[in-house]
Structures are given as structure tokens and as C-alpha cells.
Amino acid sequence: MHDVKKMDYPIAVRYASRNLWSGFLFGLGLIAFIDEAVFHQLLHWHHFYDKATTNIGLVSDGFFHAFSWFATIGSLFLVADLRRRNTWYVKRWFGGVLTGAGLFQLYDGTIQHKLWKLHQIRYDVDILPYDVAWNITAFCMLLSGLLLLIRTRPKRIKEDG
Amino acid sequence: MHDSLSIVAQLLLLLPFVLACFMYMIGVIYSARRQRRWSILRTCSWSAGCMLAGIAVAGPLAVLAQHSFFFHMLGHLLVGMLAPLLMVLGAPLTLLLRALPVYYARRVSWLLRSRPFSLFTDPAFATVLNIGGLWILYTTGFYEAMHQSLLLHIFIHLHVFIAGYLFTASMVYIDPTPHRAGYRYRASILLAALAGHAILAKYLYANPPAQVSTSEAEAGSMLMYYGGDFIDAVLIFLVCLHWFKAARPHSQQAGHPITQLDQ
């Protein structure tokens, strides 16, 4: 980890948004990967296709699937780019990861599961506790991510100097 | 033709890939004669691509694909995605330019710069040809008709390969590409193409083509979805890697923090 205080500030400020977006994209890809690996493949809680799936849900799922693949790989190349420029600010990057992961999980839990009925977390059980746990986790990730982003915003880096 | 794939169709489809492999080897020999040794990795990649495409269009897998949607999909992944990727990595045009005498090499590069060629290598055009073709094949009567007509069978398989090759070559620049699209444009089109492929895969899960049973459609659709993911990940990786190399900071001194960037 590079200590941001040792970097000269214009660079930390200039690359603040790239750190944020790289983390955000990685968080998005990470949560999509966990969803696929844990809930689809290991637990078999999620279904590949649900009879209730609407066309709009199918389209949104397809785009998110493609986007999460791209985000995972692309964001890691962005990290490599930040590192070779000596401008990787891990704290801000993690702020981005948590925000991206939280936002995606919240979107998945509310819009994809409920509004478009793409799939549910589990089947043949009382779904409410699962939905509540899912969305509260998402909310906590989002909140802590945003908090980290506020603490590491460029203005603050300058003031701390 | 209805019951099993005729030997004529198998041979006709196998021929281009055998020829492609043969011509490439001649190119390798000619390039070496000009004191320019050709990469063994590229040679292996091209031959492997030709072989996989050949396996998919002729032989036991091709016959199985006539009866089973799952094996049909396996063939589709080989002919339309994996073989084109491996063959693009073989850099055939670079080899051609090296092996030809200067006069003919200039003619070829003139052709590569021409307008019609720029259309073929446009990512959007290649995507419509590739993903659009698949949607038409599986959501209309084409899939069923393909099993009745020898001509249609050959046409569709060649189309799937050529469209797959153009698509891969329009995304990942291995060979000389005079009309280059930017990274953002390529990334957005690639994203749309991946989404189009994933949506079609899930759509087929619930809406099997004519004469395909539900269980076969489910197995084939999941193979299309996850198999596609695997090859798409390689494509994304290559596009990102090329961006990473192109975006190298120029003022970087080894071991020193950079003070002047982007200017």
C-alpha cells in the first residue's frame, strides 16, 4: 500500500476518481461473482432461469452479467495502471469496492428480485427473512463504502497535509 | 440428410479448414526462407483453431450435433468462438505479408486499407453479423430447416465461423488493422455483444427451437451461457491488456514516483 501522505498531492487528487471507479467496478464484479459462485453453483439457491422471468428482467440480467465480467477484468487492469503510476490509494479504492458491491446487491435485491421477478434468493421457503438480510447487508456495504469515500475525498487529502 | 449428416456435407465443410492449415504452413516455410522465423506459438494457435473447427463440422461430434442440441451448442462454441479466437491469435495476415514478395504484399495492404474492408472490421458491423445471425438462427425456422437442407447446413456453419472470426478480429487487433476503433467504442460494442449472447442463451432455456426437447434446450442453453463466458473473458482480457500497454505512462522512471503525468 502506498502512503498517500508521501505522494505529492496533485497526483493523489488527480487520480482520486480513477481509484474510486476502479474500486467501484471491482466491487460490482466481485458481488456478481459471489452471486454466481456461491448462490448459483454451490448452494443452488438461485435458479438459472425462473418461470416468472419477464423479458425486461432477462435483458437487464444479460447486460449486468456482461458488464460484471467486463468490470472485474477491466478494474484489475486499472489497479495495475494505478500501481505502475504509483498512485494506488487503497483506502479510497476500498471505499469504491464497498459502494459498488452494496449498490449492486441493493439493485439485485430490490429491482431484479422484486420488481422484475428475475429470480428469488431461495425457493419454497418463507422469503422475507432472506430478503431482509440480503438488503440490510447491501445497505451496510453501501453506507460504509460511501463513508470511506467521503473520508478520502481529494479536498480532505489536501487539508491533512 | 434428415437422419444423419451426409458425408458430402462433412467433407465440404472440412475442406476450408484443412486448406487454411496447409496454406499457413506454406506461409511459415516461405517466411523462414526470407530469414524471418515465424512464432511457433502462433503456428500452434492457428493449427489448433483449424483442428477444433474441423472436429466441429466433420466426424462424430458433427453427427451427434444433428440429433442433440447440447452437442450442437458445443459445436457452435468451437466453430463460432474458440476456433476464431485461436485463429485470430495466429496472425494470418501478418504471416501473409511476410511470406509474400514486396509487390504482392503492397497489394494486400492496399486491400486491407480499402473501404469495404473497413466496414468488415467495424466492431458494430461484425457484432450484428455474429450475434444477429445467432438470433435469426435460433428464433426462426432456420434451425429446423438447417437439418433438412445440405446447402443451408453448409452456409450456416460457414457463416457462424466467418462472423465469429470477423467479430474477434474487430475486437482484438493482432493483425495489421488500418481502420482502428477506439477502446471505449470497442468495449461498449463488446459489452452489447456479450449481453446479446447471454440473453439469447437464457431465452433458449425457456423457448427451445423447433424439435428440441425441454431438457436438451436447458443443457444446451447453459453450455452456451457458461461456455461463452469463458471465451468472452479471454476476449475482454486481451482488449484490456492492449489498453494497458497502450496507456503506458511515457515519463515513468523505474523506481521513482512520477511527477508529470498525462501531459
Side-chain angles (χ1 to χ4, degrees):
Chain A
M1 175 179 170
H2 298 286
D3 188 354
V4 77
K5 282 192 182 122
K6 280 184 193 155
M7 289 195 308
D8 66 340
Y9 296 128
I11 287 181
V13 172
R14 208 178 312 158
Y15 284 91
S17 72
R18 194 178 280 194
N19 270 292
L20 190 164
W21 285 110
S22 158
F24 184 87
L25 290 174
F26 185 74
L28 215 145
L30 183 72
I31 208 74
F33 177 77
I34 291 173
D35 183 66
E36 182 64 47
V38 177
F39 294 104
H40 279 268
Q41 306 297 349
L42 290 174
L43 294 174
H44 288 284
W45 278 8
H46 286 178
H47 288 183
F48 183 74
Y49 187 96
D50 188 322
K51 296 271 186 296
T53 306
T54 57
N55 281 339
I56 177 103
L58 204 61
V59 171
S60 110
D61 184 54
F63 270 95
F64 250 93
H65 181 71
F67 192 74
S68 63
W69 252 142
F70 222 116
T72 315
I73 298 168
S75 65
L76 289 175
F77 271 100
L78 280 174
V79 169
D81 185 56
L82 287 167
R83 278 193 56 123
R84 74 179 169 186
R85 290 166 191 269
N86 214 6
T87 50
W88 191 30
Y89 185 5
V90 182
K91 218 170 167 189
R92 186 164 181 80
W93 189 78
F94 262 111
V97 172
L98 285 168
T99 309
L103 203 66
F104 178 73
Q105 182 148 329
L106 200 61
Y107 164 83
D108 194 36
T110 51
I111 295 180
Q112 299 226 88
H113 289 175
K114 295 297 141 198
L115 188 68
W116 287 332
K117 298 185 168 43
L118 197 64
H119 57 226
Q120 300 301 328
I121 299 168
R122 279 197 85 167
Y123 293 81
D124 309 318
V125 288
D126 180 17
I127 198 75
L128 188 69
Y130 290 95
D131 275 338
V132 170
W134 186 275
N135 287 315
I136 284 182
T137 321
F139 193 71
C140 289
M141 281 198 286
L142 185 60
L143 208 65
S144 46
L146 286 175
L147 219 67
L148 262 177
L149 288 181
I150 291 170
R151 284 178 56 97
T152 57
R153 68 190 188 277
K155 209 177 144 206
R156 199 179 171 101
I157 300 171
K158 278 182 187 161
E159 284 164 0
D160 278 358
Chain B
M1 189 61 205
H2 189 69
D3 289 313
S4 79
L5 191 56
S6 85
I7 202 86
V8 183
Q10 293 188 42
L11 286 178
L12 276 176
L13 274 172
L14 188 62
L15 190 68
F17 297 109
V18 174
L19 266 177
C21 202
F22 183 67
M23 301 289 280
Y24 193 90
M25 294 309 161
I26 292 179
V28 172
I29 293 166
Y30 267 83
S31 175
R33 273 196 196 164
R34 283 163 199 279
Q35 311 298 326
R36 299 187 77 180
R37 303 238 341 245
W38 184 250
S39 150
I40 185 86
L41 265 175
R42 295 213 185 283
T43 311
C44 289
S45 182
W46 178 271
S47 333
C50 291
M51 201 181 73
L52 288 176
I55 287 174
V57 294
L61 181 59
V63 174
L64 271 174
Q66 287 293 100
H67 307 288
S68 144
F69 190 64
F70 179 83
F71 285 104
H72 165 82
M73 226 12 120
L74 187 62
H76 154 73
L77 285 178
L78 292 179
V79 177
M81 297 182 85
L82 191 54
L85 175 63
L86 287 168
M87 288 169 81
V88 165
L89 290 176
L93 289 176
T94 311
L95 177 66
L96 182 70
L97 291 173
R98 274 199 194 185
L100 284 177
V102 179
Y103 175 78
Y104 292 104
R106 284 208 180 119
R107 281 291 173 91
V108 172
S109 57
W110 173 80
L111 195 72
L112 292 181
R113 278 197 300 266
S114 67
R115 271 199 165 272
F117 211 82
S118 78
L119 176 70
F120 287 131
T121 52
D122 188 280
F125 178 82
T127 297
V128 170
L129 209 64
N130 191 14
I131 308 295
L134 290 178
W135 273 92
I136 291 173
L137 175 62
Y138 295 122
T139 57
T140 64
F142 266 99
Y143 180 75
E144 198 188 358
M146 181 181 81
H147 292 130
Q148 318 289 340
S149 151
L150 182 98
L151 224 71
L152 208 56
H153 176 89
I154 292 172
F155 169 77
I156 285 172
H157 280 76
L158 282 181
H159 172 87
V160 165
F161 172 77
I162 293 169
Y165 188 93
L166 278 179
F167 175 75
T168 313
S170 75
M171 289 297 166
V172 186
Y173 299 149
I174 306 287
D175 268 327
T177 317
H179 310 271
R180 286 173 174 247
Y183 286 100
R184 276 191 195 166
Y185 178 60
R186 270 187 284 159
S188 344
I189 301 284
L190 182 53
L191 196 70
L194 304 191
H197 196 262
I199 294 165
L200 178 61
K202 280 205 175 176
Y203 177 83
L204 289 177
Y205 189 92
N207 308 279
Q211 298 197 332
V212 172
S213 69
T214 314
S215 65
E216 287 221 335
E218 288 177 359
S221 140
M222 287 176 89
L223 179 69
M224 181 177 177
Y225 192 81
Y226 292 115
D229 273 358
F230 172 71
I231 297 159
D232 290 339
V234 180
L235 272 184
I236 296 171
F237 178 84
L238 289 171
V239 171
C240 290
L241 182 70
H242 289 175
W243 167 81
F244 183 71
K245 284 181 175 168
R248 181 187 296 119
H250 296 293
S251 57
Q252 187 166 19
Q253 304 282 314
H256 294 282
I258 319 124
T259 45
Q260 291 291 310
L261 284 170
D262 294 338
Q263 243 87 59

